Amino acid sequence: MQLSTRRRGAGRTGTLSRRSLRNRAVTATAVAALCVPGVVAAAPASAAAPAEQSAAQAGAAAPGDVVSSEPTEFKVFGVPTPTHAWKIQYTSTDVHGKANTVSGTVLVPQTESDGPRPLVTYALGTVGIGDHCAPSAQFAEGTASEAALIEGALLRGWAVAVTDYEGLGTPGTHTYTVGRAAGTAVLDAARAAQRLPEAQEKGVSAESPVGIMGYSQGGQASGWAAELSSTYAPELKVKGTASGGVPADLPKVAEYNDGDAEAGLVLMSAIGHDAAYPELALDSYLNDEGKRITGIMRDGCLKEAREAGANKSIEDVTVSDPNQEPDWQQRLAEDKLGTKAPGHPVYVYHGEGDEIIPHEVGAQLRADWCAKGSTVQWKSYPLAPHAGTAILASIPAMNWLNDRFKGEATEGNCGS
């Protein structure tokens, strides 16, 4: 975790244009909660715990097994939709390779399907850490910020699986921005949808072509799912991954938000990593103000978290900087994307006016995956802010996935 000690304007250019773009982004209420904070890691990435170690090896349920299910509703802006919906709990794998239980939602449109129905496992952007913020709860209430985007997939006749992520809606603390835990949760949500009897009756099966999609925090989660899919869930027929606004390099995201209203949300990343790795002992670094703010974040949603930590620097919330400690550096470095080639085509998109996640971070992810031989289709949106890009890119990204579902070949644009 790092909150920069530099205040707004120190060593920064383009402040006025970024502020203007932020005002534009606020108007995009359908996806205003898509922002994700960054964390700083100074050390090289080390080998992470092998999530590929199946939970079944320990005699537990296999990853993707459905633990429980119950009917629910999928509402968009408070309005019910013609969608079969089930809230589920399923088995997944944590960063240590151990079995855990994650909640989520399986959505299937009330339309007939000829043959196996395409399935998108969709990773949402930041909603908060409190259990009541979980996507499965917000879908039923009609308050989920990305419900309108997900509806676009349902209108195409696709089924959608949406993870709540580890610790969000289930016991424990949400492991926010811990990439590997998010990636396995995304993949196991697809497995669970394929194994849910009610969804099987509606055309979802092990033969369903699978797409992975997510933006912002969901871009990180979907990117990790892409990198893990061929080893962690090789049986899934993944045809492509569409990841946008990806915080692939968390140190750069933190630096970019230095002194801004979103800077305080970096504490959410610290909470998430401390949840995954309790030995990091976050509380031992926090002063009274830091403990007060993290208390609000642990129980609140995005709005409360942003307000509580806005414009805070490291000295405001700590007695010493954990980012200087090797254990924190190692764990944060392990979240970097682009170190492994996905085993399928990917579509990466980013707004050039993104005021939360630097455009250069998305461009570098594209370059890293290209360098590893991946088929990468890259789309850059001139002047588009963070939330605005999610709206602008949703249909093109789904069009790209649709072509993959139909078996059409794709060429990358790594050289342009």
Side-chain angles (χ1 to χ4, degrees):
M1 184 235 357
Q2 177 167 336
L3 292 169
S4 176
T5 57
R6 289 194 296 118
R7 293 298 187 180
R8 182 186 299 275
R12 172 182 292 176
T13 60
T15 302
L16 292 179
S17 62
R18 284 186 57 200
R19 184 177 300 159
S20 174
L21 287 170
R22 178 172 289 112
N23 290 337
R24 289 174 55 196
V26 169
T27 65
T29 56
V31 288
L34 293 173
C35 70
V36 59
V39 287
V40 169
S46 61
E52 292 80 8
Q53 292 178 359
S54 171
Q57 293 176 348
D65 279 357
V66 179
V67 176
S68 67
S69 67
E70 59 180 300
T72 186
E73 288 188 280
F74 178 69
K75 298 178 181 178
V76 178
F77 300 123
V79 180
T81 65
T83 307
H84 301 290
W86 300 272
K87 180 177 180 179
I88 62 170
Q89 291 193 348
Y90 60 94
T91 301
S92 190
T93 312
D94 68 12
V95 291
H96 307 289
K98 296 180 179 179
N100 60 4
T101 300
V102 178
S103 58
T105 307
V106 175
L107 306 168
V108 183
Q110 295 178 3
T111 56
E112 297 298 322
S113 177
D114 296 328
R117 189 187 294 271
L119 170 66
V120 172
T121 181
Y122 191 99
L124 263 71
T126 305
V127 295
I129 293 180
D131 284 343
H132 63 287
C133 315
S136 60
Q138 294 190 350
F139 289 153
E141 297 170 355
T143 56
S145 61
E146 293 180 67
L149 303 185
I150 292 172
E151 187 181 29
L154 296 168
L155 291 172
R156 295 171 184 258
W158 303 345
V160 182
V162 185
T163 182
D164 286 339
Y165 302 118
E166 181 182 26
L168 187 55
T170 48
T173 300
H174 175 30
T175 52
Y176 179 65
T177 65
V178 177
R180 182 174 289 269
T184 55
V186 169
L187 292 169
D188 287 325
R191 285 168 156 166
Q194 292 179 344
R195 298 172 193 176
L196 183 67
E198 295 89 339
Q200 291 175 345
E201 294 173 359
K202 309 300 180 184
V204 180
S205 75
E207 299 304 312
S208 291
V210 175
I212 304 170
M213 186 172 182
Y215 188 82
S216 197
Q217 182 196 0
Q220 182 203 35
S222 59
W224 265 92
E227 290 192 358
L228 290 172
S229 62
S230 61
T231 53
Y232 181 77
E235 82 284 2
L236 291 177
K237 301 183 183 303
V238 179
K239 303 302 181 180
T241 293
S243 296
V246 184
D249 189 328
L250 295 174
K252 290 185 178 179
V253 176
E255 181 180 1
Y256 190 67
N257 284 284
D258 175 28
D260 285 348
E262 290 83 6
L265 293 180
V266 177
L267 275 174
M268 287 178 62
S269 291
I271 293 170
H273 285 79
D274 186 67
Y277 309 104
E279 68 275 11
L280 294 178
L282 174 62
D283 279 356
S284 68
Y285 295 93
L286 298 175
N287 60 21
D288 289 343
E289 178 67 357
K291 291 176 181 178
R292 182 189 71 82
I293 292 172
T294 55
I296 293 172
M297 291 178 173
R298 291 177 193 276
D299 296 329
C301 296
L302 178 61
K303 180 178 183 294
E304 293 83 7
R306 294 176 72 184
E307 291 176 351
N311 302 312
K312 295 293 184 180
S313 63
I314 188 66
E315 72 268 20
D316 293 329
V317 297
T318 66
V319 293
S320 63
D321 185 357
N323 192 62
Q324 303 303 315
E325 301 301 322
D327 54 351
W328 276 91
Q329 292 175 350
Q330 174 185 330
R331 294 308 186 186
L332 297 176
E334 290 168 357
D335 292 307
K336 191 177 189 303
L337 277 168
T339 64
K340 180 181 178 182
H344 53 264
V346 291
Y347 181 88
V348 182
Y349 52 100
H350 213 112
E352 293 180 15
D354 195 317
E355 75 286 3
I356 296 173
I357 300 171
H359 179 265
E360 66 184 58
V361 168
Q364 186 61 52
L365 175 62
R366 172 227 191 168
D368 290 342
W369 276 343
C370 284
K372 288 178 169 48
S374 297
T375 300
V376 182
Q377 185 70 37
W378 163 254
K379 177 66 175 178
S380 182
Y381 287 84
L383 301 179
H386 188 70
T389 302
I391 298 171
L392 290 171
S394 179
I395 291 176
M398 288 188 186
N399 287 343
W400 182 87
L401 282 176
N402 186 59
D403 290 343
R404 306 290 77 72
F405 289 154
K406 292 190 297 185
E408 296 184 9
T410 182
E411 294 183 0
N413 57 357
C414 288
S416 60

